[in-house]
Amino acid sequence: MPKNKGKGGKNRRRGKNENERDKRELVFKEDGQEYAQVTRMLGNGRLEALCFDGSKRLCHIRGKLRKKVWINQGDIILLGLREYQDAKADVIMKYNTEEARQLKTYGELPEHAKINETGMFGEGEDDEGVMFDDFADDRDMDSDDADVSNTYTYWL
């Protein structure tokens, strides 16, 4: 086996992400761009986002952001719209929570947009109509009755 003569592995070569600490200039949308909130991560560099113009779009994370900027559900992002495909867009940049609050105060984002919260823009309460019945412990029942006891009632 050859002896390691380097000063570290793959993670050292990548370096530290020191860009996040620096305060960067706030970027506003231009023609052909739209603000959106991530509703679902799909994998393979894709996500589903609800744009603040009211439409839901399938988005592709560009290569520059792919492994350097981690995008999560609920984040505010800037999309580049496609002229030839209205249902698809490309992620141009991700706003951190401070920048998203600034956009909201400048009136770029709607007032009802939720920043850094678990609930999403445009979503209602999904679990209002779900009702679970209470049952006795499985220890008190026979093994045949235990299979039947796990029933749920759904109200839609």
Side-chain angles (χ1 to χ4, degrees):
M1 294 285 287
K3 204 172 190 182
N4 289 336
K5 294 183 180 180
K7 294 184 179 179
K10 172 170 60 172
N11 291 332
R12 177 170 165 72
R13 272 178 276 160
R14 283 187 188 162
K16 295 178 183 173
N17 188 7
E18 296 180 13
N19 296 335
E20 194 168 324
R21 291 187 208 125
D22 297 336
K23 192 167 185 175
R24 60 183 182 188
E25 185 177 324
L26 191 61
V27 178
F28 294 105
K29 73 174 183 176
E30 299 172 1
D31 277 347
Q33 296 178 349
E34 187 62 45
Y35 300 113
Q37 187 167 24
V38 179
T39 56
R40 198 166 55 146
M41 295 301 295
L42 301 175
N44 198 23
R46 296 174 183 259
L47 57 92
E48 190 175 88
L50 186 62
C51 296
F52 291 122
D53 64 358
S55 61
K56 196 174 264 193
R57 291 187 171 94
L58 178 69
C59 304
H60 179 260
I61 303 172
R62 59 186 286 206
K64 185 178 180 181
L65 302 178
R66 202 168 222 181
K67 297 225 177 188
K68 295 174 180 67
V69 179
W70 292 101
I71 299 175
N72 297 315
Q73 188 172 353
D75 287 341
I76 305 294
I77 55 176
L78 180 65
L79 299 179
L81 303 178
R82 297 181 181 180
E83 295 177 5
Y84 52 93
Q85 291 174 317
D86 192 43
K88 293 185 179 181
D90 300 302
V91 178
I92 295 175
M93 73 172 300
K94 173 192 163 187
Y95 293 104
N96 59 28
T97 54
E98 182 183 325
E99 291 171 335
R101 284 193 193 102
Q102 287 177 352
L103 285 173
K104 198 171 182 179
T105 56
Y106 289 142
E108 293 285 323
L109 299 180
E111 289 297 321
H112 56 276
K114 295 182 180 179
I115 299 169
N116 201 15
E117 296 180 21
T118 56
M120 298 289 159
F121 161 75
E123 282 188 4
E125 292 293 323
D126 292 336
D127 54 341
E128 286 179 357
V130 179
M131 179 79 78
F132 295 101
D133 292 336
D134 293 330
F135 291 100
D137 289 335
D138 291 336
R139 289 178 267 139
D140 298 339
M141 298 182 197
D142 296 329
S143 62
D144 296 332
D145 295 333
D147 295 334
V148 179
S149 68
N150 293 330
T151 57
Y152 302 99
T153 306
Y154 292 95
W155 300 94
L156 297 177

